[in-house]
């Protein structure tokens, strides 16, 4: 038999790239730097991806084998794009570079070494939905009966377990630190977690967090293996290092402790994900962990005008914990950022909407315009105004406000007040209560439908044999539900009704049913405030229906692209993106920075959020805040500009006075 050998060209070759021509001076210093630990502080819009790509190309041209290079990113797409670009640049095969997310590389490591933890190489990886379902199975093993009382659902518990894993803390520590409202059921959650871990072991399965946890354990517990891998990877590169959590940073240190050729690239000023477990100290303390590390800064910005960068630089300079840098634009002079105080949230929405239409007339495509905000509920009035004016928009921060589950839950209670035969709303209400599934909800609705005066029948006395027949053990639940409904009948205004729903159990239901229940409660508070301008429940519900059902896509026409829409997004979702025009709304104290973050001592991270928001803008930046806010509990409140506004130098913006004709 004739043997045919495939030859892979992985040897060094004469440099193909003219690095001095392709890169600016800052980038060139990083790409051509000698071996050893390197920290690259890459400012917004400074060509971070370009630097990582060319650094990899340079290593390959030097003769480093692809098998000895580890490239860690936060998305597999980013790794693929970088390696594809490298291949295009130097015409070399990059398939044998270990490139991908931490989870992707962890999977490869554990396929080879998972047996030491009791997993065979064909273990299953559970996605978040699978993990949630398995937690529900573990809850049954723990004999936790949600029919008798409220208990966190699977996807909420998965969030708790994930936070504990990524911060390398116990479930108890995670609950005490972040989920303190579950302290009274801590023992049960801890037991359930142990059962969940056992279940995964029994079915030869890992969830995403296990891919990091077991990889870390592998390196920590097996000195021989740790040395083997650390010797094998002569060069390690990490993208978006500011977003790493504790476990990821320690994995990088384990993998690089022999050769020490660890290049980490990131921007401390864009570290904004502590709520996910990201550890800001990783990038800040890198020079302490690698004493011989060289620090390079990329400060040349290719995205924004000098005026926008002056404002961003002025803001972030107020942070004390940071690597000092000053972004410089390669662009010529542009428009000064605009600060526009407005009368109230309604005028804020009107100003943004009208300015968008003007920009559209000036030739700016709608999809080059973004409206950013600190919290999703900040966009409610804006969504309504854009819809009224027929301006198409895309929401990157979640569903449209009135399409969110918790909003629809509360609105269901109000709908049955005006339409006692609203089948969908009745069944939605019924299924919020323990022991009620689809079949029971169907039976209950049949009873409602055949009652001449449904609402009036809902008293404890009149529940009668019908409900006892359906589910006798739930008579107390029915009594509570119908008592709540009767309390709604006593209210006149929509705002009072919403407050009543929240008061009579829905707030607790939120806590045990939905993740991020605090932000959902903020949504409902905003809905309550919004509803105060309606005295008629019918008018209020009609308005909501119209806002939910329209998108305005047929009104603004003439776009070059069929899907041309204004982008609405939280700042967190906007990181890494850019638009020609950015509106940052609700720049008011008490809204941005987030008051809870300030209480927790996270003001500097909030300021980093402001910095991220402003540096998304390429040509125009608008900062808006309402002067007066109506709160149902206290009435009209005078709003102050955000501290991030007041600490700016007046020369960094121009102020527009917004008024009505």
């Amino acid at each position: 038999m004739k043997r045919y050998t495939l030859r892979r060209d992985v040897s060094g070759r004469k440099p193909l790239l003219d690095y001095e021509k392709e890169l600016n001076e800052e980038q060139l210093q990083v790409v051509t730097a000698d071996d050893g630990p390197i920290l690259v502080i890459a400012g917004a819009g400074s060509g971070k991806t370009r630097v990582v790509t060319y650094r990899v190309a340079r290593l390959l041209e030097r003769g480093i084998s692809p098998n000895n290079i580890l490239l860690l990113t936060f998305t597999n797409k980013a790794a693929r794009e970088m390696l594809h670009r490298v291949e295009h640049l130097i015409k070399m095969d990059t398939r044998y570079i270990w490139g991908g997310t931490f989870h992707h590389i962890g999977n490869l490591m554990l396929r080879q070494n998972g047996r030491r933890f009791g997993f065979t190489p064909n273990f299953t990886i559970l996605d978040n939905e699978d993990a949630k379902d398995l937690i529900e199975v573990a809850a049954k093993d723990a004999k936790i009966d949600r029919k008798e009382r409220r208990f966190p659902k699977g996807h909420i518990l998965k969030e708790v377990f994930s936070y504990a894993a990524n911060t390398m803390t116990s479930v108890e520590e995670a609950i005490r630190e972040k989920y303190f409202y579950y302290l009274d059921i801590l023992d049960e959650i801890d037991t359930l977690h142990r059962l969940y871990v056992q279940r995964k072991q029994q079915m030869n399965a890992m969830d995403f967090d296990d891919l990091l946890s077991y990889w870390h354990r592998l390196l920590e517990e097996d000195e021989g293996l740790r040395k083997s891998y650390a010797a094998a990877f002569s060069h390690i590169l990490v993208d978006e290092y500011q977003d790493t959590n504790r476990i990821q940073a320690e994995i990088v240190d384990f993998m690089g402790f022999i050769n020490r050729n660890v290049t980490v690239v990131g921007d401390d000023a864009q570290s904004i994900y502590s709520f996910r477990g990201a550890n800001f100290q990783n990038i800040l303390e890198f020079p302490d962990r690698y004493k011989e590390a060289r620090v390079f800064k990329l400060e040349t910005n290719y995205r924004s005008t000098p005026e926008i960068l002056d404002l961003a630089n002025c803001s972030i300079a107020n942070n004390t914990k940071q690597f000092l840098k000053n972004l410089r634009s390669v662009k010529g002079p542009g428009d000064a950022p605009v600060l526009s105080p407005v009368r109230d949230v309604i005028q804020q929405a009107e100003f943004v909407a009208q300015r968008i239409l003007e920009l559209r007339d000036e030739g700016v495509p709608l999809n080059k315009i973004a409206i950013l905000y600190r919290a999703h509920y900040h966009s409610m009035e804006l969504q309504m105004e854009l819809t009224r004016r027929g301006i198409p928009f895309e929401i990157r921060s979640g569903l449209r406000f009135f399409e969110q589950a918790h909003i629809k839950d509360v609105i269901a209670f109000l709908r049955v007040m005006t339409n006692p035969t609203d089948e969908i709303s009745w069944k939605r209400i019924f299924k919020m209560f323990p022991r009620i599934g689809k079949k029971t909800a169907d039976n209950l609705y049949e009873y409602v439908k055949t009652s001449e005066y449904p609402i009036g029948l809902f008293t404890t006395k009149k529940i009668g044999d019908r409900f006892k027949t359906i589910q006798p053990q739930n008579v107390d639940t029915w009594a509570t539900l119908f008592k709540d409904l009767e309390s709604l009948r006593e209210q006149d205004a929509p705002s009072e009704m919403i407050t009543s729903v929240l008061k009579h159990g829905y707030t607790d239901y939120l806590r045990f049913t939905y993740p991020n229940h605090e932000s959902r409660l903020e949504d409902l508070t905003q809905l309550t405030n919004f509803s105060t301008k309606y005295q008629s429940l019918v008018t209020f519900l009609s308005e909501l229906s119209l806002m939910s059902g329209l998108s305005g896509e047929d009104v603004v026409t003439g776009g070059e692209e069929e899907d041309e829409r204004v982008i609405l997004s939280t700042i967190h979702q906007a990181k890494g993106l850019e638009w020609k025009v950015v509106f940052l709304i609700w720049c008011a104290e008490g809204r941005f920075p987030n008051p809870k973050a300030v209480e927790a001592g996270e003001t500097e991270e909030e300021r980093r959020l402001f910095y991220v928001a402003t540096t998304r803008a390429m040509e125009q930046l608008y900062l808006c805040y309402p002067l007066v806010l109506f709160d149902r509990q206290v009435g009209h409140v005078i709003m102050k500009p955000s501290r991030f506004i007041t600490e700016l130098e007046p020369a960094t913006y121009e102020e527009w006075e917004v008024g009505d004709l």
Side-chain angles (χ1 to χ4, degrees), residues 454-597:
I455 302 295
L457 292 176
F458 293 148
T459 63
T460 307
K461 182 178 180 181
K462 294 185 178 181
I463 290 174
D465 295 335
R466 174 64 173 171
F467 284 175
K468 291 180 181 178
T469 301
I470 293 173
Q471 241 175 359
Q473 68 272 42
N474 255 21
V475 171
D476 289 342
T477 297
W478 308 141
T480 300
L481 168 60
F482 303 141
K483 184 177 180 181
D484 294 347
L485 292 170
E486 284 293 339
S487 72
L488 284 185
R489 295 186 69 209
E490 298 170 2
Q491 310 298 332
D492 295 321
S495 61
E496 295 172 349
M497 291 183 170
I498 296 171
T499 301
S500 181
V501 173
L502 296 177
K503 180 181 178 182
H504 289 90
Y506 189 77
T507 300
D508 286 336
Y509 175 79
L510 266 183
R511 181 175 295 167
F512 291 96
T513 306
Y514 297 118
N516 305 322
H517 79 274
E518 291 177 330
S519 64
R520 292 174 187 261
L521 190 56
E522 287 177 339
D523 288 346
L524 292 167
T525 301
Q526 186 73 358
L527 179 69
T528 306
N529 290 335
F530 172 75
S531 69
T532 55
K533 62 181 181 180
Y534 297 91
Q535 291 304 310
S536 164
L537 180 58
V538 172
T539 303
F540 175 64
L541 294 176
S542 298
E543 183 86 350
L544 296 195
S545 297
L546 291 172
M547 291 303 105
S548 300
L550 296 175
S551 63
E553 295 170 12
D554 298 327
V555 181
V556 174
T557 58
E560 295 180 3
E561 300 180 30
E562 290 184 6
D563 60 348
E564 192 180 306
R565 293 176 172 84
V566 175
I567 304 302
L568 275 64
S569 175
T570 61
I571 303 167
H572 284 101
Q573 292 285 344
K575 183 175 173 290
L577 303 175
E578 61 185 27
W579 294 273
K580 283 189 175 182
V581 182
V582 168
F583 292 87
L584 181 57
I585 60 173
W586 277 105
C587 296
E589 199 67 14
R591 292 297 185 272
F592 190 14
N594 182 294
K596 292 180 181 177

Side-chain angles (χ1 to χ4, degrees), residues 132-144:
K132 183 261 297 181
D133 291 342
L134 192 59
I135 290 172
E136 296 290 357
V137 172
K140 291 182 180 178
D141 292 344
K143 296 182 170 50
I144 294 171

Side-chain angles (χ1 to χ4, degrees), residues 6-11 67 93 95-96:
L6 291 172
R7 293 185 178 87
R8 298 185 188 123
D9 186 0
V10 297
S11 60
N67 293 295
D93 191 348
R95 286 178 298 167
Y96 299 96

Side-chain angles (χ1 to χ4, degrees), residues 572-642:
H572 284 101
Q573 292 285 344
K575 183 175 173 290
L577 303 175
E578 61 185 27
W579 294 273
K580 283 189 175 182
V581 182
V582 168
F583 292 87
L584 181 57
I585 60 173
W586 277 105
C587 296
E589 199 67 14
R591 292 297 185 272
F592 190 14
N594 182 294
K596 292 180 181 177
V598 173
E599 288 176 15
E602 297 170 359
T603 301
E604 292 211 349
E605 178 159 333
E606 290 290 300
R607 188 176 287 108
R608 294 196 292 270
L609 259 180
F610 183 79
Y611 175 83
V612 167
T614 58
T615 54
R616 298 313 92 197
M618 301 168 69
E619 297 177 4
Q620 296 185 45
L621 173 65
Y622 297 86
L623 308 173
C624 311
Y625 71 93
L627 294 167
V628 178
L629 171 70
F630 181 79
D631 186 289
R632 183 177 178 275
Q633 302 297 323
V634 296
H636 288 89
V637 179
I638 303 299
M639 302 295 286
K640 296 180 180 179
S642 166

Side-chain angles (χ1 to χ4, degrees), residues 132-133 135-140 143-158 192 432-436 474 512-513:
K132 183 261 297 181
D133 291 342
I135 290 172
E136 296 290 357
V137 172
K140 291 182 180 178
K143 296 182 170 50
I144 294 171
D145 189 357
R146 289 196 180 91
K147 295 177 181 179
E148 295 296 334
R149 63 195 171 96
R150 299 210 185 282
F151 195 84
K153 292 193 174 181
H155 57 285
I156 297 176
L157 293 169
K158 177 65 178 70
L192 194 154
M432 292 181 208
F433 287 82
R435 292 186 178 276
I436 302 184
N474 255 21
F512 291 96
T513 306

